[in-house]
Amino acid sequence: MISQLFILSPRGDVIINKQFRLDVPVKITTEVFFRTVKFWKDGDKAPAVFNEDGVNYVHVKVAGLFVAATTRKNVSPSLVLELLHRVAKVIKDYCGVLSEDALRKNSILAYELIDEMLDHGYAQTTDTETLKQRVFNEPIHATED
């Protein structure tokens, strides 16, 4: 389904970057994504789904952070958008707040949650209660900005 999932700060800094397949180049996708979103045509807001150089980008903006996925496959955009919202919700449920500081302090927990939610880019479970039975790390609580 998806090749890569990443979370970027409002400045374009990579906070989380999880690669599932090797069909999308890792080093340039986050840069291309941020540049494309930041400087979208005619100053308009970038759409949630767009294609750039044969790579499909799907993203949501949650609490000022860009939660995005890439794929070269023809996937349902609504499915990926829902998945991205659920990834953000689960991380917020665990950390108490979804912010750049909370993600940086809890990056190991975030990667563990993503590993449990997605298997080779395919969604497995996104229910917080089910994940609590599998993920036992305690979050480092961050203050909300």
Side-chain angles (χ1 to χ4, degrees):
M1 186 165 93
I2 64 173
S3 300
Q4 180 182 26
L5 183 137
F6 52 88
I7 301 175
L8 300 180
S9 74
R11 297 175 311 283
D13 300 328
V14 177
I15 303 169
I16 302 290
N17 189 348
K18 179 69 177 168
Q19 184 80 16
F20 298 105
R21 294 189 175 84
L22 300 176
D23 61 345
V24 176
V26 178
K27 297 196 185 269
I28 63 167
T29 52
T30 55
E31 288 179 30
V32 168
F33 167 79
F34 188 72
R35 246 186 265 129
T36 304
V37 168
K38 194 74 170 171
F39 304 108
W40 189 254
K41 302 168 190 88
D42 301 326
D44 290 337
K45 185 177 169 187
V49 181
F50 61 90
N51 184 297
E52 192 74 32
D53 297 327
V55 177
N56 299 312
Y57 293 88
V58 183
H59 78 283
V60 295
K61 193 169 183 181
V62 182
L65 302 174
F66 293 101
V67 183
T70 61
T71 183
R72 285 196 186 269
K73 307 269 185 204
N74 187 13
V75 299
S76 168
S78 59
L79 178 69
V80 179
L81 287 168
E82 179 66 22
L83 174 66
L84 295 176
H85 277 289
R86 289 193 184 213
V87 167
K89 181 188 178 306
V90 166
I91 292 173
K92 182 181 180 194
D93 288 347
Y94 264 82
C95 298
V97 65
L98 185 62
S99 67
E100 183 177 352
D101 185 44
L103 274 172
R104 290 196 189 281
K105 287 181 179 177
N106 294 291
S107 60
I108 293 172
L109 175 61
Y111 279 110
E112 188 175 356
L113 288 167
I114 291 168
D115 281 340
E116 289 295 331
M117 287 187 275
L118 296 158
D119 187 27
H120 297 288
Y122 291 93
Q124 299 300 310
T125 182
T126 57
D127 179 50
T128 305
E129 294 305 314
T130 305
L131 289 167
K132 285 184 179 178
Q133 298 171 4
R134 298 179 184 170
V135 178
F136 301 109
N137 282 339
E138 291 294 321
I140 300 167
H141 292 287
T143 58
E144 191 169 342
D145 295 339

